Amino acid sequence: MSHATAQSTSFTLRGAAGALAAWESVPPHDVEMRGTVLLVPGFTGSKEDFEAMLPILSAAGFRCVAYDQRGQWQSDGPDEASGYTMSDFADDLILVADQISDDTPIHLVGHSFGGYVARAALAAHPDGFRSLALLASGPSSTSDINFAPPQLVAQLIESGGQQALWEQMSLAMAALVPPAKLEFLRNRVFTTKKANLIGIMRATEGPTDCTAALRATGLPILIAYGNSGDLWPPSVHERYAEELGARTAVYDGVGHLPNEQRPARVCADLVAFWTGIGPAR
């Protein structure tokens, strides 16, 4: 789990606070190139969260790049939580987009907190992007969420570090995740900087919604979510999609990880979404 798949290549991107570990998956030589996709992971996540999706999307003609955000897993990052503001994450994303751009706007995909970062980057720099897809990423972490408030999670990590966070995570996953995957997830949590974990929670303590700015871009938006066990109830995703004028994709019996639980279906929905947008401007 800690290395690139046979279909993907490891490489390094430049972030504002150091090197960012990334994977790239490109279409086969006999498949027409249809665009570039940038995938952004969430809290405690990494590029590996998209491992099952990358070969499917590249086989459909899309060059895909997924990266570990600052301080996550194999990426560099500051040692202080103050170096992990929403602006810091968004600035990294914009830098990454500049490095992988082929002079056409990029399709942006964000999972959970990665969706927050994607929203902020797109609102700040809409010309660099062609569309936005939010996977299991609701409008706010402070209301309408089936999870502990960010302030409490930050306090847990401040006092007990990665160990305290992992104890809570493993309780929920032990019976559902194979041992090898569970070991990878544990290693990832303990390798991710404590400052990253605290910083993300602090970044989501306040308002994170930018609905008006997103609507003003006029870019197509897709909201994709599972209807069972996600951090946000389906009604919250539905309301958010209506506010954004976004399309929706719903996965029955899926929780917070449609990218891992239904990768083929998610990819099919993304390809249909992008195909319907038309040629790059």
Side-chain angles (χ1 to χ4, degrees), residues 218-260:
L219 291 175
I221 300 173
L222 174 70
I223 291 183
Y225 58 94
N227 65 2
S228 175
D230 191 16
L231 298 183
W232 295 268
S235 59
V236 172
H237 289 297
E238 292 165 8
R239 184 176 70 245
Y240 192 35
E242 184 175 348
E243 292 172 352
L244 287 170
R247 307 177 199 184
T248 59
V250 185
Y251 307 106
D252 289 335
V254 172
H256 191 56
L257 299 170
N259 44 307
E260 296 187 11

Side-chain angles (χ1 to χ4, degrees), residues 250-274:
V250 185
Y251 307 106
D252 289 335
V254 172
H256 191 56
L257 299 170
N259 44 307
E260 296 187 11
Q261 295 175 280
R262 299 285 190 278
R265 173 72 189 281
V266 171
C267 289
D269 289 336
L270 287 172
V271 170
F273 171 55
W274 297 329

